[in-house]
Amino acid sequence: MITTDILIIGAGPTGLFTVFEAGLLKLRCHLIDALPQPGGQCSEIYPKKPIYDIPAYPEILAGDLTDKLMEQIKQFEPGFTLGERAETIEKLTDETFIVTTNKGTKHHAKVVAIAGGLGSFEPRKPLIDNIVDFEDKGVEYIIRDPELYRNKKVVISGGGDSALDWSIFLTNVASEVTLIHRRNEFRGALDSVEKVQELKNAGKIKLITPAEVTGIIGNEKVEAVTITKDCETPFQLETDHFIPLFGLSPKLGPIANWGLEIEKNAIKVNNALDYQTNIPGIYAIGDVNTYPGKLKLILCGFHEATLMCQSAYQRIFPDRKYVMKYTTVGGVDGFDGTRKEAPKQVVKAIE
């Protein structure tokens, strides 16, 4: 049984920052995430994409933001249960909770904070009969490590930002990049569309439209794909990797069965006070929650986490009064014995 003060479900940016705010209040945190590494979407879906609206960072890669958050919370020694999904929750008579994962790992906490982003993601797969047989054998729905495609032939299918951006990026990695879309028009940022046009004209990207990948050929791995173009005979194109980027379908997963009030695949919370759900002791912060005026932004998740931790402290220690101190004044004491503080003023007389 893993015991903690606050159990955070979801190790994305909001969940990670919660550890810092809780640490300032001397509250320990443990995080559960179905992904094998912290960072949520920032690590899993777009680690190499820049984010422009994080305070103090004019531009920061999503993966680098995760690294910075992990560095910030290191001194608060959070625990992690990764690669497991929060499955069931039980509220005990003492108002604490036991959360069990799909692998049977049990967690006991005084407060539960759901910071699961948009929930668990499942890729939208093209309707190709044998595509499952080639998953992780040349078929990838998410690009995690671009180096996997170094000097390889790559076919990307899709018409949105991800398909455009990765096609552009991989021209400097892969030996050959082919972009296939069922329409001539792309739904993406104008500069990305124009960049693909420029790379096509330069012979660095092969563009096949309107067309679809309708078959995969290979033995132990992908060797070629079948392409069907309007009013033409299907043909084969040799490739090492087929990457269909049709987006991800978010689902709340087992959390939807916890008795929480749900509205449009999001958890309703009391935003007038502390982002608590209809079950006292369970909070929802970040993209997973909803309330009037909700904005699904990372910086909003940071704000919600801050207020949630103040409420969690009062729930855990109802007889204590917390006096907030600015970190510039009080410093930051880590659970590992480290201390961060501003240099003390030197007192010296002037003669």
Side-chain angles (χ1 to χ4, degrees), residues 228-302:
T228 301
K229 204 170 186 299
D230 285 2
C231 302
E232 295 183 14
T233 303
F235 62 95
Q236 294 180 7
L237 178 67
E238 289 187 5
T239 189
D240 300 301
H241 294 273
F242 171 47
I243 310 170
L245 297 176
F246 296 152
L248 298 168
S249 178
K251 295 182 179 180
L252 278 178
I255 291 175
N257 302 317
W258 286 7
L260 301 168
E261 191 173 354
I262 308 295
E263 182 180 284
K264 295 181 179 178
N265 207 41
I267 302 170
K268 291 185 69 174
V269 295
N270 174 10
N271 69 305
L273 185 61
D274 55 10
Y275 304 99
Q276 199 158 188
T277 68
N278 59 302
I279 300 178
I282 301 180
Y283 300 78
I285 52 178
D287 289 356
V288 77
N289 74 15
T290 185
Y291 53 83
K294 169 70 179 181
L295 293 177
K296 294 182 182 294
L297 297 172
I298 292 175
L299 62 93
C300 293
F302 290 167

Side-chain angles (χ1 to χ4, degrees), residues 37 49 64 66 112 177 179 198 225 231 246 294 303 333:
Q37 73 285 318
K49 292 190 74 172
D64 291 344
T66 299
V112 174
V177 176
L179 176 59
E198 178 185 323
V225 293
C231 302
F246 296 152
K294 169 70 179 181
H303 163 77
D333 292 304

